Amino acid sequence: MSDIEIEPYTDPAGGWGSAKSLVEILTREEVPISGSAMLLKQNKPGGFMCVSCAWPKPAKPATFEYCENGAKATAWEQTRKRIGPEFFAKHTVAELLTWTDFDLETQGRLTHPLRYDPASDRYAPVSWEEAFAEIGRELRGFDPKSVVYYSSGRASLETSYMYGLFARLYGNNNLPDSSNMCHEPTSIGLKASIGVPVGTTVLEDFETTDCILFFGQNVGSNAPRMLHPLQDARRRNVPIITFNPLRERGLERFTNPQSPVEMLTKSSTQISTQYLQVKAGGDIAAITGMCKALFAADRAAQAQGRPRVLDVAFIAEHTHGFDAFTAFCDGQDWSVLETRSGLTRAALEDAASVYARAKRVIGIYGMGLTQHRKGTETVQMLVNLMLLRGNIGRAGAGLCPVRGHSNVQGQRTVGISEKPEQVPLDKLAEMYAFTPPREKGLNTIEACEGIVAGTVKAFIGLGGNFVRAIPDTERMEQAWRGMRLTVQIATKLNRSHLVNGTVAYLLPCLGRIEIDAQASGPQAVSMEDSTSCFHGSVGVTKPVSDHVRSEPWIVAGIAKATLDPNPKIDWDAWVGDYAKVREAIQATYPEVFKDFNARLFEPGGNHKPLAARERKWETETGKANFVVPEGLDEDPDMPARHADVLDLITLRSNDQFNTTVYGYHDRFRGVKGTRSVLFMNAADIARLDLADGATVDVVTESTDQHVRAVRGLRIVKYNIPEGNCAGYYPELNVLIPLWHHDEQAKTPAAKAIPVRVARTG
Ligand SMILES: Nc1nc2c(c(=O)[nH]1)N[C@H]1C(S)=C(S)[C@@H](COP(=O)(O)OP(=O)(O)OC[C@H]3O[C@@H](n4cnc5c(=O)[nH]c(N)nc54)[C@H](O)[C@@H]3O)O[C@H]1N2
Ligand SMILES: Nc1nc2c(c(=O)[nH]1)N[C@H]1C(S)=C(S)[C@@H](COP(=O)(O)OP(=O)(O)OC[C@H]3O[C@@H](n4cnc5c(=O)[nH]c(N)nc54)[C@H](O)[C@@H]3O)O[C@H]1N2
Ligand SMILES: [Mo]
């Protein structure tokens, strides 16, 4: 770790800072810059799909269709560094548990299958045959309901289909996914509101939109390629109204690092035309304010005989619940809306009038809306706003939830779901001649509750870093060790591999960028992007070691060792030729995956049909539903709170991918050399008698008896609303109570955690 430097960053997102940061990581991971020819194949038909975010891959890609953080993810996976048996012989698990997330992953790629040896407290090499035999023997001994099959959102459609099928053949729907911690409020909220569980926009919609609303997504760090369509939209003078408690650099200014002219002239584009620093959890109030302003403008227009502001024809033909929603908005008091949102009436009226002038509006959002106690309602509130002017189901308009992992949406599409009703179980029963379990499975929070209660006894992880990503780290780590079996399929070492069950395996797999050679030759895999387009992906580099295996091969290996043979499933044939898995996927979902193999490399991807795009509403009412929120309160069960309690936002730096910490430089926020910081508003610092740069402890304000604390954070005075503070995930996950989740989707409410801050000591 280098010395700590904290100073505000004034350059735009992208630009020279991005180019420099990229060279740094390629050098550190010993990926030759010339070898970055690899990067030229990123996100191109016939090349590999980025392992970072899920932003769509354009049909006409740029020469360099990657961003700083996508290239970092590539370098991180394709590092020359390796950790083999010698490393594990040298370090006990107890010792490794004292290392940081960065130190663990930066050791390099896992090269051998490993089994935990309790006697020496070390991981030791084991053959694949022995590993599968013991895992199979163990799995056969459990009640199927007590086993959890987690996926982290990166594995391909092919692997995911096999994995989901395996869990059901085994006898449960316990298929939690990182999506449970991420966009589950989208899956639930949008399905109930408009009949599809995903966004309704595609990349082309950005070319014709004339207004963008941007809620709670940090584009500069977490989906930087999206800055290109945003920059194009700004060049057409499209207003972008941003709602975010923090002034994020990428939402302010952007220099395209791939434009020589912009780089040489140091020119940049202003991204947001209005920047509304809403309070954490204040979006329901903010959107209610905008709706209220629209209703008022509509009534004024009617009174004066001008054209209506609301799209009354759309509302009448296509929606349900309009009157109740009108009554809800009419019943809200402006002063309460101002307090709850932290925004002025004038600012909200202004935003509403820009929205009302636009014919085609896109609503973009990320974790700032979903990771709340009322996450699902907040997403539905954005839908309500869009419905008022018919902004769903036509070109240039719609909803754009920015998904996280590169195939998280796709995993749901092919059956990774704890909700049996989302899976064509009858079809699976017919195809594979078995009786699929019908009982609802465990989602992430329920799996955690089961682990605490001792009812979950085994955990299989297809990627990810579950123990680090979930809330209540300390409690969960303790409970975790009570499990009998933990199996982790992974590329790099992380903390979840060290907090292990009695019998523990760590199985190294190929990354997507590597050549995956099977019986029929090199294989392609596929994924679904944020805009519901499927893309093929082909590995281009030599595998990191002769002992690593592909994810489909590993899943098949565990399945064969665990299940009785099924004459309808030839796991080996699937592994030998992934095109056969795609045929099975197509047979299971004929409409979604029509001509799947033939269309695998279609430029821009193969878009799946979405009823809402055609204004067909597959909801209970057969209409698009206005959904009235229960109230404006972010946290329904906190008792009247003391003025000293702040709402803590946990978020990502520009130098990480989720729990993968690439380094200690959050360039855009001006923090270098440390992640132990707490961003605070100057007025709060003064009121609580603290000081910029002071060291503080943060303690969760909770209604239960557990003490949750993080000690020794350094205060960074920051432009953030009074009453809010912010710091980094996953280090602060210890502060989130397990029960602090969205009421409907059970997504951990990582964006507004009530805490107290006090000087250390
Ligand atoms: N480089 C990189 N790319 C990534 C990831 C990564 O870690 N690194 N992670 C991937 C994954 S899995 C995901 S889910 C996405 C995550 O991408 P984001 O959705 O951008 O997630 P966060 O970094 O958590 O930031 C959320 C943003 O919401 C704002 N915010 C917080 N609370 C509120 C609120 O109450 N209201 C509003 N309006 N805004 C709020 C924060 O200030 C922050 O700018 O990115 C994906 N892409
Ligand atoms: N406080 C707080 N908590 C959060 C969030 C937050 O904003 N705040 N965000 C939540 C969100 S949105 C998400 S998506 C989750 C993320 O939770 P996860 O998806 O579980 O975590 P990741 O950090 O993405 O997982 C990283 C690990 O994946 C493994 N890996 C990488 N590539 C591959 C691969 O190709 N195959 C396999 N098998 N393994 C691979 C590596 O071993 C690496 O260490 O965290 C959630 N937790
Ligand atoms: Mo995510």
Side-chain angles (χ1 to χ4, degrees), residues 385-558:
L385 173 65
M386 300 298 273
L387 293 179
L388 286 181
R389 287 185 44 82
N391 274 312
I392 296 181
R394 61 193 160 77
L399 292 160
C400 179
V402 185
R403 304 301 291 234
H405 274 293
S406 49
N407 194 34
V408 64
Q409 185 168 317
Q411 295 197 322
R412 289 290 198 227
T413 307
V414 294
I416 302 268
S417 175
E418 75 283 0
K419 302 182 190 69
E421 68 278 10
Q422 287 181 356
V423 185
L425 294 179
D426 293 336
K427 188 84 200 181
L428 293 178
E430 176 199 316
M431 283 172 69
Y432 303 115
F434 77 117
T435 312
R438 301 273 164 177
E439 195 183 315
K440 191 194 150 316
L442 304 175
N443 60 27
T444 290
I445 288 293
E446 291 155 356
C448 291
E449 289 164 349
I451 292 166
V452 171
T455 50
V456 169
K457 299 194 162 55
F459 181 96
I460 317 294
L462 178 58
N465 188 0
F466 191 82
V467 178
R468 210 60 188 137
I470 55 178
D472 243 344
T473 320
E474 246 168 55
R475 279 181 73 204
M476 285 312 303
E477 285 196 1
Q478 268 171 28
W480 199 265
R481 297 192 166 90
M483 276 192 287
R484 164 78 192 171
L485 174 73
T486 53
V487 178
Q488 303 281 359
I489 303 166
T491 49
K492 284 194 158 184
L493 182 64
N494 65 44
R495 196 166 170 93
S496 294
H497 310 149
L498 303 170
V499 185
N500 45 271
T502 314
V503 177
Y505 281 91
L506 180 46
L507 306 178
C509 66
L510 288 173
R512 191 185 297 155
I513 305 169
E514 284 140 84
I515 298 165
D516 180 356
Q518 301 294 346
S520 67
Q523 302 297 310
V525 290
S526 54
M527 36 241 80
E528 176 179 342
D529 70 29
S530 240
T531 59
S532 304
C533 293
F534 302 118
H535 303 264
S537 177
V538 186
V540 296
T541 61
K542 194 170 161 291
V544 291
S545 133
D546 293 340
H547 305 279
V548 298
R549 293 290 181 272
S550 77
E551 291 175 323
W553 189 89
I554 298 171
V555 170
I558 299 177

Side-chain angles (χ1 to χ4, degrees), residues 35-202:
S36 54
M38 180 169 70
L39 293 173
L40 290 170
K41 299 195 176 150
Q42 195 150 329
N43 297 329
K44 304 276 181 62
F48 65 92
M49 293 302 134
C50 185
V51 295
S52 191
C53 80
W55 188 246
K57 334 295 173 209
K60 294 196 193 82
T63 315
F64 307 101
E65 189 58 42
Y66 59 84
C67 65
E68 169 190 345
N69 284 342
K72 273 189 196 170
T74 301
W76 194 253
E77 183 177 304
Q78 289 306 298
T79 176
R80 290 272 180 93
K81 302 180 200 165
R82 306 278 182 270
I83 43 174
E86 327 70 56
F87 173 87
F88 291 96
K90 221 164 23 194
H91 306 283
T92 62
V93 165
E95 181 204 337
L96 293 172
L97 277 167
T98 64
W99 294 21
T100 62
D101 300 300
F102 171 80
D103 288 333
L104 290 174
E105 276 209 41
T106 197
Q107 301 306 319
R109 288 284 298 274
L110 296 162
T111 59
H112 286 68
L114 301 163
R115 182 185 194 282
Y116 177 66
D117 170 35
S120 65
D121 188 34
R122 284 179 172 81
Y123 270 105
V126 60
S127 72
W128 284 104
E129 294 71 30
E130 279 173 273
F132 289 152
E134 184 174 22
I135 294 167
R137 208 164 46 239
E138 284 282 329
L139 284 175
R140 280 197 303 275
F142 294 109
D143 169 0
K145 304 280 175 291
S146 65
V147 179
V148 164
Y149 294 96
Y150 172 68
S151 337
S152 127
R154 196 176 285 201
S156 64
L157 294 168
E158 292 79 359
T159 310
S160 305
Y161 179 81
M162 291 167 66
Y163 190 65
L165 178 62
F166 166 49
R168 295 196 167 91
L169 289 161
Y170 179 71
N172 69 41
N173 286 301
N174 292 345
L175 287 155
D177 184 286
S178 61
S179 187
N180 290 137
M181 301 180 248
C182 186
H183 266 293
E184 198 64 33
T186 296
S187 313
I188 291 188
L190 295 190
K191 181 79 185 98
S193 287
I194 58 169
V196 292
V198 296
T200 65
T201 47
V202 294

Side-chain angles (χ1 to χ4, degrees), residues 52-54 67 69-70 72 152 178 181-183 214-224 242-248 251 275-276 278-283 365-372 378 402-406 408 634 649-660 662 669 724 726 729 751-752:
S52 191
C53 80
C67 65
N69 284 342
K72 273 189 196 170
S152 127
S178 61
M181 301 180 248
C182 186
H183 266 293
F214 212 111
F215 288 89
Q217 202 275 340
N218 184 14
V219 60
S221 291
N222 297 334
T242 292
F243 293 81
N244 197 312
L246 273 71
R247 289 201 77 100
E248 304 282 26
L251 288 161
Y275 207 117
L276 303 181
V278 63
K279 275 188 194 165
D283 298 273
Y365 66 92
M367 297 301 96
L369 287 202
T370 63
Q371 293 178 332
H372 284 290
T378 311
V402 185
R403 304 301 291 234
H405 274 293
S406 49
V408 64
E634 149 63 18
I649 299 169
T650 60
L651 36 62
R652 295 154 169 81
S653 85
N654 184 50
D655 217 4
Q656 75 184 84
F657 189 92
N658 296 342
T659 70
T660 293
Y662 300 132
R669 301 199 186 101
N724 290 172
Y729 142 65
K751 295 294 186 268

